[in-house]
Amino acid sequence: MTLPSLDNPIVWILAIPLGSAGFLAVLPNWRLATWVNILVSGASFAASLMLFQHRPEPTRLLFIDDFNVYLVVLTAFVGFTTSVFSAAYIARESKGARLSDAHLRFYHAMYQAFLFTMLLALTANNTGVMWVAVEAATLTTVLMVSLYRTREAIEAAWKYFILCSVGIGLALFGTTLVYLAAQPVMGDGADAMAFTMLIKRAAAFQPDLLNLAFVFVLVGYGTKVGLAPLHAWLPDAHAEGPTPISAVLSGLLLNVALYALLRFKMLIAANPHTLAPGPMMVAMGLSSLFLAAFMLYRRGDIKRLFAYSSIEHMGVITFAFGMGGALANFAGLLHMTMHSLTKSAIFFAVGVITQNAGTKNIADIRGLTVSHPLLGWAFVVAVLAIAGLPPMGVFMSEFLVLGSTFASQPLLAVPLALGLLLAFGALASRLQGMAFGEPSQLKGYAPPGRASTAMVYVPLWAHLALVVVAGLYLPEPLVDWFRAVAKVLG
Amino acid sequence: MQHTQLSYDLAHLIGATMLMAGFALLYQRRIYAVLNTFAFQALALAAAAAWQAHVQNAPHLYATAAIALVFKAILVPAALHWLVDKLGIHRTVETALSINWTMITGVALVALSILLVLPVTANAAALTRESLAVAMSIVLLGMLMMITRRNAVTQVVGFMALENGLLLAAVSAKGMPLVVEISIAFSVLVAMTLFGIFFFRIRERFDTLDLHYLETYRGERH
């Protein structure tokens, strides 16, 4: 195997975060580290934009196609904006006694390592490399969730470790089964693990083995997507880790796990004799939607509230891909993008809100639009967007999911609409108390400086602007592109 | 090298040994016995990987065998022994489901995996076929152990037993690439999480490794 050349953007996209993870691990000054973190995340994002100009040839290990290119760019973008928010968050957090210098060094190194593993999972052409990357992503996030070392953080990290390790263990068994199904047709070795080669000849694979493999992959990677009933780790991990990590967990990691699942779904769908993978995904999607919609009503912790909202949206997306067909796939892809942008924006806002208020308890957070107008209204817009109110992008994608379901399976559209309305009601009622009324007393850190404030507001409003614009107008090339991908997904 | 009767029989013998160790893990009542049984299972995994390396003429599997031997059969059990000693953890295994019922469930799971795997692999090489059924049984028994044992140490052992099953499947799949990388990834995951973070931190915070004490927390604070 020859090493890929340096003009290949994938090399840069992977080398920048990996190299900087090593560099940040030894950089002693954490203030400098926050800036280096922003700089290298920006460089990764710039490298990912090069993919539009120059699409590299697939190798047996790495590849870029229409589907993953947009996820790579989205991941690099949200990774970049979150690094900006993270700098402001960490600067305030360091005033408290919770984090030592060594912890912060570790945090920044793990942040880049985490971005590397996600980008590797997205660009992997080899089922085994993808698995190793998702496993490493689990490891880095487990370590970051436990960063505060409180009793809750350790329990959350333990639960996350146990559940997701079993999950990825099962995904590995599924991966092995896919290899066994492919091996008689493709021969031994790396060819029988490369997605680009598998998909061409999947029709000749043994269907029963593929069915069994898909069940394992669905349960395995589905645990990581946070699909009910395998979601138990997700609210704890989101609630107890540092807030920038909640933003990338929700906005990016769940997408990556779903991407892995969809790659395998494409393989199964390419074989005419297998069971249809759709109904299983529809069932898991609906159960996640309902479970999360009901759980939203009883939440007392603001980060946990939005973690359940992530389960809800991953349920909707899985449902959409389970329905399949050009329109539902289109809606699923759009919803993945919109959810990622909106949910990370919400966590940016939540990070500042909890730092101001000194609590995550919803009952103790009131009157945000009065006390901090710019932040408060951004929070209102973001929560209304995630709840699915027009004209924001999430509304449009949810509307498309619902519309395409009505067209193909009207009976399934009823529970879907009900679940979405339930979730909307929960979020709207929670939002009212937090956003309006007499402001609560602020018991958190001292107000941030001007630069720090800007570093939260710029990424926050940038995400929201994208979401609002996408709801009103999608550029023609983007629509064509989503359409092309939706067709590939089958 | 051809799949002779000997290579077939010996691979089965080792696989069956691992499965028996998987059952033995379920009925141990003392933590040290659990650790020793796990070490034995890991030793059998090392033998299975080495035998597959020989039969398939795939030298990289010797690396997997070495990792299983050094890391899983020696280092991890020794470190867990040390931790149990050092932290004064209860020496008895606490069960959520009685041992009799656990064993019956275990037998049912083995039957399930044989019934599932054998029909769908009718076309696969015989060597792979039965190994896969055994591997899946070991995976399910590991999960059963994680579910029915309360203590953090026994949960980790359950996870590593599950992992033994996964690696048995991976080494038995003829010519599967990346097996070494996968076994390294697992080892790093266990080592980093276990020794880097949890045991010392749990010790720091709770003075106990019994997850029972963790269960009072339900996620919401008021």
Side-chain angles (χ1 to χ4, degrees):
Chain A
M1 190 172 56
T2 53
L3 276 174
S5 64
L6 287 182
D7 64 349
N8 185 341
I10 305 185
V11 175
W12 291 103
I13 291 170
L14 295 177
I16 293 171
L18 183 63
S20 32
F23 177 63
L24 287 168
V26 294
L27 190 70
N29 183 338
W30 67 263
R31 274 177 208 281
L32 189 62
T34 56
W35 289 105
V36 172
N37 196 30
I38 295 176
L39 200 71
V40 292
S41 306
S44 306
F45 176 52
S48 76
L49 289 177
M50 276 157 52
L51 288 174
F52 290 121
Q53 295 220 316
H54 169 65
R55 176 83 54 93
E57 285 296 305
T59 63
R60 280 191 189 148
L61 286 184
L62 303 171
F63 80 129
I64 289 287
D65 70 356
D66 280 338
F67 181 22
N68 64 8
V69 68
Y70 105 98
L71 281 171
V72 169
V73 174
L74 181 70
T75 301
F77 175 69
V78 177
F80 171 50
T81 50
T82 307
S83 73
V84 176
F85 162 68
S86 156
Y89 178 88
I90 290 294
R92 277 182 97 186
E93 204 73 355
S94 66
K95 297 201 177 81
R98 294 215 277 179
L99 297 173
S100 70
D101 285 6
H103 284 139
L104 289 173
R105 200 162 71 200
F106 180 74
Y107 166 83
H108 286 112
M110 280 298 139
Y111 186 85
Q112 288 299 325
F114 176 54
L115 284 186
F116 166 73
T117 55
M118 282 195 297
L119 291 166
L120 180 63
L122 288 174
T123 51
N125 190 15
N126 180 300
T127 53
V129 173
M130 176 189 263
W131 181 84
V132 170
V134 174
E135 194 253 28
T138 309
L139 175 62
T140 55
T141 41
V142 165
L143 296 177
M144 284 198 288
V145 166
S146 71
L147 191 73
Y148 286 138
R149 301 201 295 168
T150 58
R151 176 192 172 117
E152 292 83 5
I154 290 167
E155 194 208 298
W158 181 258
K159 205 170 180 183
Y160 180 27
F161 164 68
I162 288 289
L163 275 169
C164 283
S165 302
V166 173
I168 52 172
L170 297 181
L172 175 64
F173 199 72
T175 306
T176 311
L177 289 176
V178 169
Y179 171 80
L180 283 174
Q183 188 243 2
V185 182
M186 316 279 295
D188 293 354
D191 281 3
M193 291 184 100
F195 283 116
T196 45
M197 300 191 179
L198 290 174
I199 194 96
K200 284 181 198 144
R201 300 178 65 183
F205 298 168
Q206 212 213 325
D208 294 336
L209 209 49
L210 280 181
N211 285 337
L212 189 62
F214 187 71
V215 172
F216 275 97
V217 169
L218 179 67
V219 174
Y221 286 130
T223 309
K224 209 120 185 63
V225 181
L227 295 177
L230 310 159
H231 65 280
W233 63 274
L234 193 145
D236 295 274
H238 280 62
E240 304 307 335
T243 311
I245 300 313
S246 316
V248 281
L249 273 180
S250 242
L252 302 179
L253 183 66
L254 306 184
N255 275 359
V256 170
L258 188 62
Y259 165 81
L261 187 56
L262 289 175
R263 279 279 171 212
F264 282 97
K265 181 192 174 237
M266 285 161 75
L267 280 186
I268 310 299
N271 186 312
H273 305 292
T274 50
L275 289 173
M280 286 187 267
M281 292 175 71
V282 166
M284 285 183 97
L286 269 185
S287 62
S288 312
L289 170 63
F290 267 92
L291 178 121
F294 281 116
M295 294 302 263
L296 280 173
Y297 281 92
R298 296 181 48 222
R299 291 312 94 191
D301 176 313
I302 185 169
K303 285 171 85 178
R304 203 168 280 273
L305 176 77
F306 292 111
Y308 275 103
S309 154
S310 292
I311 299 178
E312 178 220 331
H313 285 280
M314 292 326 277
V316 174
I317 297 167
T318 310
F319 177 91
F321 287 122
M323 292 300 296
L327 194 57
N329 282 338
F330 181 99
L333 291 168
L334 186 63
H335 201 83
M336 256 170 125
T337 320
M338 291 301 127
H339 172 252
S340 174
L341 290 171
T342 319
K343 191 50 69 60
S344 40
I346 286 182
F347 275 113
F348 298 165
V350 166
V352 186
I353 291 168
T354 52
Q355 282 185 328
N356 286 339
T359 175
K360 294 189 293 175
N361 200 344
I362 292 178
D364 297 333
I365 301 170
R366 289 185 308 275
L368 287 170
T369 50
V370 182
S371 59
H372 304 81
L374 209 53
L375 174 70
W377 285 108
F379 183 63
V380 171
V381 172
V383 176
L384 288 179
I386 207 75
L389 204 71
M392 269 74 87
V394 179
F395 166 76
M396 197 163 97
S397 49
E398 281 181 354
F399 185 76
L400 281 173
V401 177
L402 202 58
S404 62
T405 311
F406 255 120
S408 53
Q409 299 278 345
L411 276 182
L412 278 176
V414 177
L416 179 68
L418 200 65
L420 288 174
L421 284 175
L422 272 173
F424 178 84
L427 286 171
S429 69
R430 288 293 170 183
L431 176 66
Q432 199 180 13
M434 285 191 279
F436 305 108
E438 189 71 17
S440 53
Q441 213 184 349
L442 301 180
K443 292 180 224 140
Y445 301 114
R450 194 166 289 196
S452 220
T453 311
M455 279 162 76
V456 178
Y457 287 179
V458 170
L460 173 58
W461 282 103
H463 279 207
L464 290 179
L466 284 174
V467 172
V468 174
V469 168
L472 297 171
Y473 164 72
L474 275 181
E476 201 59 36
L478 198 65
V479 175
D480 289 343
W481 183 26
F482 272 145
R483 274 208 191 109
V485 181
K487 215 170 277 168
V488 177
L489 281 170
Chain B
M1 186 175 157
Q2 282 298 310
H3 287 176
T4 58
Q5 192 60 37
L6 176 69
S7 69
Y8 183 85
D9 286 344
L10 200 58
H12 279 186
L13 180 66
I14 301 172
T17 311
M18 284 180 69
L19 184 58
M20 285 303 117
F23 271 109
L25 279 172
L26 290 177
Y27 66 72
Q28 302 304 328
R29 291 172 192 275
R30 308 214 153 262
I31 276 197
Y32 287 144
V34 170
L35 295 179
N36 293 339
T37 314
F38 169 75
F40 176 71
Q41 193 187 39
L43 199 67
L45 174 68
W51 182 244
Q52 291 291 344
H54 175 67
V55 172
Q56 297 178 22
N57 200 8
H60 65 275
L61 290 181
Y62 284 116
T64 308
I67 293 170
L69 179 68
V70 175
F71 184 75
K72 298 180 86 179
I74 299 170
L75 284 181
V76 168
L80 286 174
H81 255 283
W82 178 79
L83 274 169
V84 170
D85 243 1
K86 191 94 179 159
L87 302 183
I89 299 167
H90 298 295
R91 304 293 162 81
T92 49
V93 172
E94 288 167 65
T95 55
L97 184 67
S98 79
I99 283 181
N100 289 340
W101 280 108
T102 315
M103 293 299 282
I104 290 167
T105 318
V107 172
L109 288 176
V110 174
L112 175 79
S113 39
I114 289 172
L115 289 176
L116 259 177
V117 170
L118 290 190
V120 304
T121 50
N123 299 338
L127 183 62
T128 314
R129 213 178 148 202
E130 273 107 21
S131 291
L132 201 64
V134 171
M136 189 165 149
S137 312
I138 296 170
V139 168
L140 294 179
L141 290 182
M143 269 175 96
L144 182 66
M145 182 167 174
M146 292 179 78
I147 294 165
T148 58
R149 299 290 176 267
R150 289 184 177 282
N151 182 293
V153 174
T154 33
Q155 280 195 348
V156 169
V157 172
F159 171 63
M160 286 189 300
L162 182 157
E163 195 196 310
N164 283 347
L166 293 170
L167 288 175
L168 178 66
V171 296
S172 310
K174 190 165 164 291
M176 179 158 154
L178 290 165
V179 176
V180 183
E181 286 80 353
I182 286 168
S183 52
I184 291 174
F186 265 133
S187 309
V188 172
L189 178 71
V190 169
M192 293 272 285
T193 319
L194 216 55
F195 302 108
I197 309 295
F198 284 106
F199 282 103
F200 294 109
R201 291 191 178 176
I202 289 177
R203 168 69 176 162
E204 206 174 288
R205 296 281 160 185
F206 306 108
D207 296 314
T208 174
L209 280 171
D210 192 335
L211 286 182
H212 183 68
Y213 290 91
L214 291 169
E215 282 164 6
T216 49
Y217 171 62
R218 282 279 169 257
E220 299 277 334
R221 273 162 300 156
H222 295 285

